[in-house]
Every structure is written in C-alpha cells, then in structure tokens.
C-alpha cells in the first residue's frame, strides 16, 4: 500500500517537541483536532494508518535489528489504554509487548529507579509499549515527595538537585538505548481538566464503566496544577531530537489516536526497514527445497 508520508507525518509533526527548553504546555490546546473536521474522517485515516503500521512492523520483526519503545504518560482518564488498543490493533501480537508500570513493588524499591524498566525493554525486532514508565519518577514522585523516602536512596544523595539529576540520567539512558538500536518515542496525552471531569462522571454514570473509577484518581485530580508543572518541566528537560515528546491533544480520542499512529508510522519509516535479503547460497537452498517438494 502506498501512502502519502508527508500527509501522515504532518499530523504528528506539529505536536512533536524535540528541543524542550522553551516548551509551554499552555500553548497546546487539548481540544485541538488539526485540520480534521469529523470523527468519521479520522477513523478512515486511522484505518489506513493501522494497515501501514502493520506492514512496517512485519519488516521490523523480519529484520530483527531495530526495536521501537513507545512511552505513554498522562493524567488519569486521558485515554492511554484506549489509544494503545486502537492504534496497535493491526500489529501482530507476537511482535509487540505492552508493559504497565504501577506503584513499585518492594523488589523494585530495592533497586535503582531504572532497574524495572530495563528488564521490560523490547527485544530486537519488537515494539515495546510502556503504559506509564520511569517518567513517573519525575511526576508522581515529584508531586508526592514522601514517595522518595520509600526508595531508600542514601540521604547525602537526596538534595535539591535530585530532579535535575534524574532528568540527566533519563536523557543518558535514552541516548544509550538509541545508540543500541532502540528508537524511543514518548507521548503525553494532554487532556483538559474539564474533559477529565466529564470522563470521571461517565465512569460513575455508566455501569459498564464503574470498574474504571478509582477514588485515588479523584485524589490525584486535586494536584492538577502540580502535575501540569511537573509535566511541563519533564518535557522541557527530556525532549531531544533523538527521543522527542509528542504532546497530543487528548480531549477528542479519535484525534489522539490519529496523531499517535502518525508518529509511529513516521518513526518506523525513518528506519528504512527492509525484509532481509536472501543470499545466493540461501536462494540455492530455496531452489533445492522446491525440488524436494516436487514442484
Ligand atoms: P488505569 O487507571 O487506566 O487502569 P493507570 O496507569 O492509572 O491505568 P493504576 O493502577 O490506576 O493504572 O495506577 C498506577 C499508579 O501507579 C499510578 O498512580 C502511578 O502514578 C503509579 N506509579 C507508576 N509508577 C510509579 C513509580 N515509579 N513510583 C510511584 N508510583 C508509580
Ligand atoms: Mg488509574
């Protein structure tokens, strides 16, 4: 299938932050839908995008060299789960691993903060999805500083520079991953406070959504401004040309899905993936196999 890459990548590029220093969250409107006027149009484009992604992933898997790490961060009810479900719906499950990061276990807390991510990284040829990630270490832990105590970092090392140091370590880690063939793409699903309220209310109103409601989500909503500040600083400090942040408008789920799909297609396309070439020796073996099959 031929696609107009310029058209597709345009969706994503306007929300890509690859040099964060001057980034301001308030410049991005959570209700933005770009030039897409209708949900139907978005769904049509997404269906094409999903097919293209599936073809690219097949090559990624066959080539078995590169891997792609997709990181999703957001406030509650911004739509991380739905985005992962819709955007990756066409991808072969064998080539894809989703990892959801919850509050750290006691085993996790016995290690440095990147330890648990390391063992969840995608293998070569795979797409790895982090539903939340080590970025929680500069988000929830920054908003609730008492969480740092649980980590038992030696006291002299816990100074006012700790967040800056964590940003440096994360940047170094992502540079290391990039240099080893793992492409890193990060998505902040940017939902408005009003839309979050609407979604929480629908979790209360609709019985099929009741299970999604959690009292702790409501508690975190009380720290909205602190989280927005932490997100903005995180993006400023960790958006780089090699591992950019996409700040994706998230009040309209159909637009969110489209932007994320476009960013993934662009990332995979940048690798110029090819099916492995067959050597002349392998070709001979294939011919011999054909004879043996009596063709
Ligand atoms: P959903 O609510 O859609 O199921 P979720 O990602 O919000 O998905 P929860 O189980 O509700 O999942 O929440 C996971 C919690 O784990 C979040 O509150 C998050 O802040 C917390 N968490 C994740 N990583 C860390 C970390 N490194 N340190 C402390 N808390 C963390
Ligand atoms: Mg939650």
């Amino acid at each position: 299938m031929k696609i107009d890459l310029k058209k597709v990548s345009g969706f994503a590029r306007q929300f890509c932050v690859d040099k964060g220093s001057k980034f301001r969250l308030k410049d991005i409107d959570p209700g933005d839908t770009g030039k897409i006027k209708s949900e139907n149009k978005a769904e049509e484009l997404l269906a094409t995008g999903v097919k293209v992604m599936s073809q690219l992933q097949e090559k990624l898997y066959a080539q078995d060299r590169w891997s792609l790490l997709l990181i999703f961060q957001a406030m509650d009810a911004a739509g991380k789960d739905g985005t992962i479900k819709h955007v990756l719906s066409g991808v072969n499950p064998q080539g894809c691993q989703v990892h959801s990061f919850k509050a750290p276990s006691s085993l996790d807390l016995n290690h440095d903060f990147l330890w648990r991510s390391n063992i969840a990284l995608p293998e070569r040829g795979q797409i790895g999805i982090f539903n939340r990630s080590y970025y929680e270490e500069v988000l929830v832990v920054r908003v609730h500083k008492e969480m740092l105590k649980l980590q038992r970092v030696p006291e002299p090392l816990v100074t006012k520079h700790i967040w800056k140091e964590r940003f440096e370590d994360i940047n170094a880690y992502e540079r290391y991953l990039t240099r080893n063939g793992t492409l890193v793409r990060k998505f902040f699903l940017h939902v408005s406070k009003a839309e979050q309220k609407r979604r929480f209310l629908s979790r209360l109103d609709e019985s099929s959504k009741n299970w999604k409601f959690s009292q702790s989500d409501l508690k975190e909503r009380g720290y909205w401004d602190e989280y927005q500040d932490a997100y903005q600083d995180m993006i400023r400090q960790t958006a780089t040309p090699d591992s950019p942040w996409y700040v994706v408008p998230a009040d309209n789920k159909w637009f969110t899905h489209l932007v994320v799909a476009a960013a993934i297609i662009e990332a995979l396309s940048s690798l110029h993936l090819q099916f492995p070439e067959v050597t002349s020796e392998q070709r001979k073996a294939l011919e011999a196999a054909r004879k043996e099959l009596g063709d």
Side-chain angles (χ1 to χ4, degrees), residues 5 23 25 35 38 77 89 93-94 109 129 146 171 174 186 232 261 265 268 288:
L5 241 188
F23 172 75
L25 199 48
K35 291 196 178 88
S38 77
S89 59
Q94 283 213 83
L109 290 168
I129 295 140
E146 64 279 8
N171 286 335
E174 290 178 355
K186 306 172 297 204
Q232 177 172 280
I265 289 172
L268 287 173

Side-chain angles (χ1 to χ4, degrees), residues 113-151:
F113 79 86
L114 286 170
W115 177 79
R116 66 175 180 162
S117 305
N118 242 343
I119 48 183
L121 287 172
E123 296 171 19
R124 294 198 190 282
Q126 297 267 334
I127 299 179
I129 295 140
F130 282 5
N131 183 352
R132 300 189 187 272
S133 65
Y134 46 82
Y135 279 103
E136 292 291 328
E137 297 288 341
V138 291
L139 294 167
V140 69
V141 182
R142 194 173 186 184
V143 172
H144 300 286
K145 297 193 173 55
E146 64 279 8
M147 283 185 181
L148 258 181
K149 289 228 165 60
L150 298 173
Q151 302 191 352

Side-chain angles (χ1 to χ4, degrees), residues 41-270:
K41 180 72 192 159
E43 274 170 6
E44 213 177 277
L45 286 166
L46 181 65
T48 310
V50 165
K51 282 191 199 133
V52 173
M53 204 185 300
S54 147
Q55 292 168 346
L56 287 165
Q57 185 230 357
E58 226 178 288
K59 289 184 185 160
L60 180 82
Y61 186 82
Q63 198 175 325
D64 204 12
R65 293 289 184 277
W66 299 95
S67 51
L68 175 63
L69 174 62
L70 305 172
I71 292 181
F72 289 90
Q73 287 292 155
M75 297 297 285
D76 288 299
K80 285 184 283 104
D81 295 9
T83 301
I84 293 167
K85 183 169 116 185
H86 282 93
V87 174
L88 292 143
S89 59
V91 163
N92 181 350
Q94 283 213 83
C96 178
Q97 305 145 354
V98 185
H99 202 95
S100 297
F101 288 91
K102 308 287 181 187
S105 69
S106 55
L107 179 63
D108 297 333
L109 290 168
N110 274 334
H111 294 85
D112 59 279
F113 79 86
L114 286 170
W115 177 79
R116 66 175 180 162
S117 305
N118 242 343
I119 48 183
L121 287 172
E123 296 171 19
R124 294 198 190 282
Q126 297 267 334
I127 299 179
I129 295 140
F130 282 5
N131 183 352
R132 300 189 187 272
S133 65
Y134 46 82
Y135 279 103
E136 292 291 328
E137 297 288 341
V138 291
L139 294 167
V140 69
V141 182
R142 194 173 186 184
V143 172
H144 300 286
K145 297 193 173 55
E146 64 279 8
M147 283 185 181
L148 258 181
K149 289 228 165 60
L150 298 173
Q151 302 191 352
R152 302 190 341 270
V153 179
E155 238 165 67
L157 302 181
V158 184
T159 68
K160 64 177 192 300
H161 304 299
I162 189 152
W163 311 114
K164 187 174 157 280
E165 288 166 357
R166 286 194 169 188
F167 290 134
E168 281 172 11
D169 294 337
I170 287 172
N171 286 335
Y173 185 59
E174 290 178 355
R175 192 175 58 223
Y176 164 80
L177 293 177
T178 305
R179 284 177 175 167
N180 281 275
T182 298
L183 216 61
V184 184
R185 294 292 181 270
K186 306 172 297 204
F187 299 92
F188 169 52
L189 307 191
H190 183 31
V191 74
S192 67
K193 199 173 181 188
E195 179 61 21
Q196 191 199 49
K197 179 178 171 180
R198 264 192 291 280
R199 292 185 189 174
F200 280 175
L201 286 174
S202 80
R203 289 177 179 188
L204 296 173
D205 292 341
E206 295 172 40
S207 59
S208 66
K209 289 188 183 169
N210 282 168
W211 64 276
K212 284 193 188 175
F213 185 79
S214 130
Q215 202 63 38
S216 69
D217 292 356
L218 201 55
K219 187 178 143 251
E220 292 315 294
R221 180 177 164 82
Y223 295 93
W224 185 271
D225 292 344
E226 288 86 337
Y227 272 111
Q228 301 297 301
D229 288 348
Y231 269 111
Q232 177 172 280
D233 201 30
M234 172 196 82
I235 292 163
R236 285 187 178 174
Q237 305 292 334
T238 60
T240 67
D242 277 340
S243 64
W245 274 104
Y246 288 86
V247 182
V248 188
D251 279 6
N252 295 285
K253 292 177 181 176
W254 46 268
F255 190 63
T256 312
H257 300 169
L258 202 56
V259 173
V260 172
I264 298 174
I265 289 172
E266 194 174 27
L268 287 173
S269 302
S270 76

